[in-house]
Amino acid sequence: MQQGFHVDRIATDDEIRLALRGELDVSVVDAVEEAVGAVASGSRVVMDVRDLSFIDSSGIRVLMSLDMRARSEGWSVAIEQPQPAVRQVLELCRIGERIPIVDDASSDG
Amino acid sequence: MASGEATLRVPVPDDEPQRLEAIRRYDVLDTPPDGAFDRITAVAAAHFEVPIAIVSIVDEDRIWFKSHHGIEVDEIGRDPGLCASAILQNDPWIVENAATDPRTLANPLVAGELGLRFYAGAPLVTHDGFKLGTLCVIDVAPRELPAQEAATLADMAAIVMDELELRLAARRAIAEEHRLRHQAETLARSLQTSLLPPEVPTVEGLELDSLYVPAVGHEVGGDFYDAFEVGGANDGTLVLAVGDVSGKGPKAAAVTALGRHTVRSASLSATAPSEVLQTVNRAMLLGRKEAELEHFCTLLLAFARRDTDGLSVSVASAGHPPALVLRADGSATQIGASGPPAGWRPDFSLRDDRVQLSPGDLLLLYTDGLTDVRTPEGLLGSGGLLRRLQDARPRTAAGLVAQLRELLDSPEVTARDDAAALALEVVR
C-alpha cells in the first residue's frame, strides 16, 4: 500500500530535522516515531513535510503525540511547508493551534 | 514405631472434616486405574519383595484403592484399621508380625483368609499437611523393615503425592483456562455488540441509510456511526454521529465503545452537538497521563429536528471531515467547521453550524475512508467526493449510499482504511 515513504533525520546541536517524503499513513508511523527518538530538553524538532503528499489520522496521531511529549519534556516542535492536501488535514484537526506551521519563504516548497 | 491399643476401632484424625474435604479437592476417589500409580505399586512390590502393594485413600467409611498390586480388591471397610492407623502419624506405620502385634492380632485381615503378617504404610501427605491415605506394602510372612527402607517407602509415598498434586494442578489449570476463555469470549461478544454497525431507526418524514465497509485484512475497525432518536429533554431530536478512532486493536475498540456510549448518554440532555463532543473529550481525557496519547477520536455529530419548513440541523465536528449537503436543485455544500479531535487536549473549543434542509435535500456524514482512496486521478479527497456526488445526483438516501458503495467497489479505486457513512433524506 505504501508508496516509497521515506524519512531522513538530520540532528544538529539544538535541532532535530525530520524530512518526510511520500505518504504518511498507519504503515509507517512507527518509523516516524522511531526517527524522532530521544529529544534533549530545550531543543527543537522540525517536521519538514514539503515532500509529504498525504497524511492520514495515524499521521495526525504522531503529530499530536509529539506535541504532548514536547510539552511534558520541555522541547518544541514545528511543521514546515505542508502541501495543500496535508495542510487541509492539519487544519481539520487544528494542529496549528498547538504546533507552529512554518512556510519558509526562502524555498518554493 | 507407634504404640497402640489392641482394638478394631481406630480413632479418626483430629482434622477429619478438613481431611475429607482435601480428598474431595483432589477428586481421586472412584477414578479409573491409572498407569502412573500402577507403576509405583509395581516398583514398590518389587523393591520390597512383597506380594502386595497398594495406594489407598482413606475415605469417610471405606478405604479405596487407587492402585492395587497383587490383590484383586478395590476397597475395604475402614474398620480393620491398618491404613486408617497409618494416616494418624507422619512416619511410616509398620507392623512386622501382625499375629503377635497387640495392635493387629484381632484384625480380620490377619486372622482371616488373607493371613496378613507384615504391613508397612507411609502416609500420602498433601502440601498443606492432610494425610489422604497411604502407599503400603503387605506380606503374608513376618519380616523386618530397617529404618533406611522405611525412608524409601516414605519417598515412594511422596512420589505418589507428587502425581496427585500434578493432577490437581493440571485440573485447576484447565478449569482456569476454561474460565478465562469464557470471560474473554463474553467480553469479545459484548465489545462486538457495541461496535457492530447499528440498525438505523425509522423516522417519519425522513429516510436514513448507512454504509460500513471494514478495511480488508484489518482487525475490528476504528470507524463507527450511530443514529438514534432522543426522548426526555431533547424529545424529537434525531442524533447522527460518525466517528473514527485512531489505531486498531482492543484499546482502540474500547475507545470506540467509550465514544459511542458517551454520545448516546450525553445527547439525552445536551442542547447542542458541541456540548456532546465536549463531554466525549472530557471522558476520553479522564485518567490519562499528561504526555500520553494512545488513541484519539474524530467525531462529527448532527442534531436534526423537524420543523414546518423541513429539517433544522446543527452540526459540530471534532477533527472530522465536514458533512455534505446535496440540495434537491443539484447544488452542494459542506457543513461542520472542525475543532480538534477528541481525546487530545483539554482546551477544546467547538462551534455549532446550522443548516436548514428542505424536502428532497440529502445530508451525508462520512469518515475519511471514503475520501482517502486512490483513484486514477490521484487521491479523491473531500472535494473529489463532493464533485463526484454532484455529478451522480442521487435522489434518495439509498441512492446516495449506493453511489458510495459503487465508488469503493470500483476496480479503479483503492481504499486504504475503513469507511463509514450515514445518509439522510428529507422525504418530499
Side-chain angles (χ1 to χ4, degrees):
Chain A
M1 187 67 58
Q2 179 49 225
Q3 297 187 338
F5 175 82
H6 193 77
V7 52
D8 277 323
R9 183 182 202 268
I10 305 151
T12 54
D13 279 352
D14 54 357
E15 185 181 283
I16 296 170
R17 174 169 288 268
L18 297 174
L20 311 181
R21 203 163 63 225
E23 301 188 350
L24 174 46
D25 69 10
V26 66
S27 63
V28 298
V29 289
D30 289 349
V32 176
E33 292 194 319
E34 212 168 282
V36 177
V39 183
S41 169
S43 57
R44 178 175 136 96
V45 172
V46 177
M47 307 295 276
D48 178 348
V49 297
R50 77 186 75 188
D51 292 322
L52 193 69
S53 56
F54 172 81
I55 186 167
D56 76 351
S57 64
S58 30
I60 292 295
R61 180 184 167 278
V62 172
L63 296 176
M64 297 195 315
S65 88
L66 275 184
D67 164 62
M68 292 170 82
R69 264 190 70 192
R71 279 161 199 266
S72 101
E73 295 171 15
W75 41 272
S76 69
V77 200
I79 298 168
E80 268 188 20
Q81 302 187 69
Q83 293 179 16
V86 171
R87 181 183 295 275
Q88 200 184 353
V89 180
L90 297 180
E91 283 172 0
L92 192 65
C93 293
R94 302 247 205 116
I95 293 295
E97 291 177 6
R98 299 263 285 199
I99 305 176
I101 296 174
V102 186
D103 292 296
D104 189 351
S106 70
S107 167
D108 60 355
Chain B
M1 192 143 315
S3 64
E5 300 284 303
T7 170
L8 291 181
R9 287 279 161 199
V10 175
V12 295
D14 294 339
D15 59 0
E16 185 65 1
Q18 294 84 351
R19 195 190 68 82
L20 290 171
E21 182 58 38
I23 291 174
R24 303 288 174 269
R25 195 168 72 220
Y26 285 83
D27 195 22
V28 62
L29 286 170
D30 302 311
T31 51
D34 184 318
F37 299 103
D38 291 346
R39 274 189 292 279
I40 295 171
T41 50
V43 166
H47 175 82
F48 293 103
E49 296 174 348
V50 293
I52 298 169
I54 297 170
V55 169
S56 73
I57 303 294
V58 180
D59 195 8
E60 194 170 1
D61 52 3
R62 62 175 175 158
I63 295 173
W64 182 80
F65 298 162
K66 176 62 200 171
S67 172
H68 44 90
H69 177 93
I71 181 171
E72 284 311 309
V73 177
D74 289 330
E75 63 177 61
I76 58 171
R78 189 165 169 171
D79 279 343
L82 295 168
C83 293
S85 300
I87 64 161
L88 292 175
Q89 59 184 60
N90 293 320
D91 302 320
W93 192 78
I94 298 162
V95 179
E96 295 186 330
N97 187 351
T100 59
D101 194 312
R103 296 173 298 175
T104 53
L105 53 84
N107 189 304
L109 296 177
V110 179
E113 198 182 324
L114 180 63
L116 180 148
R117 289 295 174 270
F118 168 77
Y119 173 96
L124 306 174
V125 189
T126 67
H127 64 93
D128 48 356
F130 295 110
K131 301 182 190 81
L132 305 181
T134 70
L135 169 66
C136 61
V137 288
I138 290 168
D139 203 347
V140 290
R143 52 182 294 169
E144 292 178 352
L145 191 72
Q148 201 184 334
E149 289 291 272
T152 302
L153 183 67
D155 284 344
M156 287 183 176
I159 294 172
V160 172
M161 201 55 233
D162 287 345
E163 282 293 334
L164 288 169
E165 298 283 8
L166 206 62
R167 277 159 177 68
L168 177 64
R171 217 168 28 247
R172 283 192 172 155
I174 290 167
E176 177 66 4
E177 208 264 338
H178 281 173
R179 193 185 65 78
L180 286 175
R181 192 188 309 162
H182 179 73
Q183 204 173 43
E185 280 169 1
T186 310
L187 179 65
R189 258 198 308 277
S190 67
L191 258 182
Q192 216 154 37
T193 312
S194 77
L195 293 174
L196 278 180
E199 292 279 315
V200 291
T202 310
V203 185
E204 206 191 326
L206 302 176
E207 283 293 333
L208 281 166
D209 205 348
S210 63
L211 173 86
Y212 178 71
V213 182
V216 178
H218 274 290
E219 302 173 54
V220 176
D223 283 13
F224 63 94
Y225 68 81
D226 205 358
F228 54 95
E229 281 188 290
V230 179
N234 274 344
D235 198 17
T237 301
L238 173 68
V239 179
L240 305 176
V242 167
D244 180 0
V245 171
S246 73
K248 307 278 176 192
K251 270 192 171 169
V255 172
T256 307
L258 172 70
R260 260 188 62 183
H261 289 139
T262 310
V263 166
R264 283 239 170 192
S265 56
S267 296
L268 293 174
S269 55
T271 55
S274 61
E275 267 183 49
V276 176
L277 296 184
Q278 294 280 4
T279 308
V280 171
N281 187 52
R282 276 197 299 275
M284 288 185 64
L285 289 175
L286 214 63
R288 163 149 347 140
K289 292 194 193 86
E290 198 189 332
E292 212 175 70
L293 179 76
E294 289 202 332
H295 298 281
F296 69 90
C297 173
T298 72
L299 196 56
L300 184 70
L301 194 65
F303 279 12
R305 289 186 186 91
R306 296 295 314 227
D307 59 20
T308 47
D309 300 326
L311 194 71
S312 167
V313 180
S314 43
V315 178
S317 167
H320 199 90
L324 294 185
V325 177
L326 302 168
R327 299 287 188 188
D329 65 6
S331 64
T333 50
Q334 306 199 51
I335 173 170
S338 176
W344 176 27
R345 39 192 265 211
D347 56 319
F348 187 74
S349 69
L350 292 177
R351 195 176 86 195
D352 292 290
D353 286 347
R354 297 187 69 88
V355 68
Q356 184 70 32
L357 299 185
S358 306
D361 291 347
L362 295 169
L363 178 72
L364 175 69
L365 286 69
Y366 64 91
T367 62
D368 61 9
L370 275 168
T371 50
D372 289 353
V373 296
R374 227 185 287 281
T375 71
E377 296 82 43
L379 278 173
L380 184 64
S382 57
L385 179 68
L386 183 87
R387 281 190 296 279
R388 214 182 149 103
L389 292 175
Q390 253 188 306
D391 290 347
R393 281 199 77 171
R395 305 288 177 161
T396 62
L400 176 48
V401 167
Q403 284 293 327
L404 301 176
R405 215 176 277 284
E406 192 180 303
L407 166 71
L408 293 176
D409 288 346
S410 160
E412 296 182 330
V413 165
T414 316
R416 70 167 92 207
D417 204 353
D418 314 331
L422 266 180
L424 174 148
E425 166 199 352
V426 184
V427 177
R428 287 169 201 270

